[in-house]
């Protein structure tokens, strides 16, 4: 009976080891995906971040990158802990999983908070940023972001193209009698196309760029949230397997 019991325990431990190894491989891939989403947010969409007064959106991306790096390192550590059958390594592995889980909860909470305040922030700040900072000294990053925003989302002005009438740059001689920036034009390669603000020449979108940018950021926050929830669910499974393997192993001296 004792031999059969020991044999069953050994089989159970081996099964747990391979389950945990499979989990760690998937976890490592997931870590790469999390890190990629965070890097994509900062690299590809960094221009739009400069148009936001709040740093929560950028902070959420940095948290994702940090979590992704820790996840990948943890995946490697988990494989080592699994095959070496060392309870000490399993304890470290479990603590790291828990830390990642808490980081993802933090990123999720920040994303949710920002989701709630995004509309008000854009209403209060986007128009002011476009009117006051476009083509102003030491504001090249804002100018680039506004031009990219208007061309990529085919919009003009914060709420409408008429917002540009109050622009510091449009009112100056440097605008060369433009009514709107050339990035508002449907064909911006035409020189000084911003002088003519007719709907046939420039983008006239209901809700302006605020609606377009808000929808973009909300969709991106949903991606961040979905990735975070997916990884968190996987982690719970991993922590369960870790506890099972930890209990199945014989105690080792410290």
């Amino acid at each position: 009976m004792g031999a059969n019991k020991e044999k069953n325990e050994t089989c159970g431990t081996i099964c747990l080891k391979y389950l945990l190894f499979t989990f760690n491989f998937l976890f490592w891939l997931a870590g790469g995906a999390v890190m990629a989403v965070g890097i994509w947010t900062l690299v590809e969409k960094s221009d739009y971040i400069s148009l936001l007064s709040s740093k929560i959106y950028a902070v959420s991306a940095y948290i994702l990158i940090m979590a992704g790096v820790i996840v990948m390192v943890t995946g490697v550590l988990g494989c080592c802990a699994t095959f070496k059958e060392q309870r000490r390594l399993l304890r470290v592995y479990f603590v790291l999983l828990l830390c990642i889980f808490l980081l993802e909860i933090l990123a999720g909470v920040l994303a949710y908070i920002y989701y709630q305040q995004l509309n008000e922030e854009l209403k209060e700040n986007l128009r002011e940023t476009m009117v006051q900072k476009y083509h102003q000294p030491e504001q090249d990053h804002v100018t680039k972001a506004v031009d990219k925003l208007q061309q990529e989302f085919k919009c003009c002005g914060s709420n409408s193209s008429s917002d540009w009438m109050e622009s510091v740059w449009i009112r100056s001689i440097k605008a060369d009698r433009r009514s709107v920036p050339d990035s508002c034009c449907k064909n911006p390669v035409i020189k000084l196309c911003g002088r003519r603000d007719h709907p046939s020449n420039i983008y006239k979108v209901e809700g302006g760029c605020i609606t377009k940018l808000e929808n973009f950021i909300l969709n991106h926050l949903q991606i961040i949230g979905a990735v975070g929830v997916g990884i968190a669910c996987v982690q719970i499974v991993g922590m369960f397997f870790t506890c099972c393997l930890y209990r199945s192993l014989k105690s080792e001296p410290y």
Side-chain angles (χ1 to χ4, degrees):
M1 288 287 290
N4 287 334
K5 184 178 179 182
E6 187 175 339
K7 185 177 179 181
N8 288 335
E9 286 179 355
T10 304
C11 289
T13 301
I14 291 171
C15 288
L16 280 171
K17 280 174 63 176
Y18 281 101
L19 280 172
L20 198 53
F21 177 79
T22 303
F23 162 79
N24 278 302
F25 178 70
L26 295 174
F27 195 51
W28 185 84
L29 291 177
V34 169
M35 188 168 63
V37 170
I39 292 173
W40 177 69
T41 300
L42 294 176
V43 175
E44 287 295 318
K45 307 304 174 184
S46 58
D47 292 332
Y48 299 146
I49 292 175
S50 66
L51 298 177
L52 306 171
S53 61
S54 173
K55 301 301 179 187
I56 294 178
Y57 184 62
V59 168
S60 296
Y62 280 118
I63 289 175
L64 276 181
I65 293 172
M66 192 190 329
V69 171
I70 297 173
V71 164
M72 295 184 79
V73 172
T74 303
V76 175
L77 177 64
C79 290
C80 294
T82 302
F83 280 101
K84 288 188 176 182
E85 297 186 6
Q86 291 185 4
R87 298 184 75 187
R88 189 179 299 173
L89 279 177
L90 284 172
R91 282 195 295 271
V92 173
Y93 174 65
F94 183 86
V95 170
L96 284 173
L97 281 181
L98 190 59
C99 289
I100 297 165
F101 186 74
L102 294 175
L103 268 177
E104 286 165 349
I105 289 176
L106 177 61
V109 169
L110 287 174
Y112 180 77
I113 291 171
Y114 193 56
Y115 184 92
Q116 298 298 315
Q117 69 181 44
L118 178 61
N119 184 265
E120 286 304 314
E121 181 190 333
L122 289 177
K123 282 181 180 177
E124 291 175 10
N125 297 297
L126 185 59
R127 183 177 180 277
E128 190 70 15
T129 298
M130 295 172 82
V131 167
Q132 297 296 329
K133 296 182 178 180
Y134 186 79
H135 265 307
Q136 296 306 299
E138 299 181 3
Q139 298 295 335
D140 289 343
H141 62 293
V142 172
T143 302
K144 181 183 175 184
V146 170
D147 285 339
K148 182 178 179 179
L149 174 69
Q150 295 190 139
Q151 275 297 297
E152 192 167 307
F153 292 125
K154 295 180 170 51
C155 58
C156 183
S158 177
N159 295 292
S160 68
S161 58
S162 60
D163 290 338
W164 286 110
M165 293 174 64
E166 297 179 32
S167 165
V168 174
W169 178 69
I170 289 293
R171 288 179 161 186
S172 72
I173 194 171
K174 293 179 182 178
D176 203 3
R177 294 185 290 120
R178 288 180 176 87
S179 299
V180 295
D182 291 345
S183 57
C184 281
C185 300
K186 295 178 179 178
N187 191 3
V189 295
I190 299 175
K191 191 176 180 180
L192 300 175
C193 63
R195 287 180 176 178
R196 183 167 169 265
D197 60 354
H198 191 271
S200 63
N201 183 52
I202 67 169
Y203 296 114
K204 293 227 180 220
V205 182
E206 187 177 347
C209 291
I210 278 184
T211 304
K212 297 279 190 176
L213 183 58
E214 182 182 8
N215 289 336
F216 164 78
I217 294 176
L218 289 180
N219 289 336
H220 200 66
L221 286 175
Q222 287 172 357
I223 292 172
I224 291 175
V227 169
V229 169
I231 298 297
C233 292
V234 172
Q235 281 176 252
I236 292 171
V237 175
M239 286 189 280
F240 173 75
F241 285 150
T242 304
C243 289
C244 292
L245 182 59
Y246 183 85
R247 293 181 64 182
S248 71
L249 296 175
K250 293 180 180 179
S251 297
E252 294 179 355
Y254 288 88

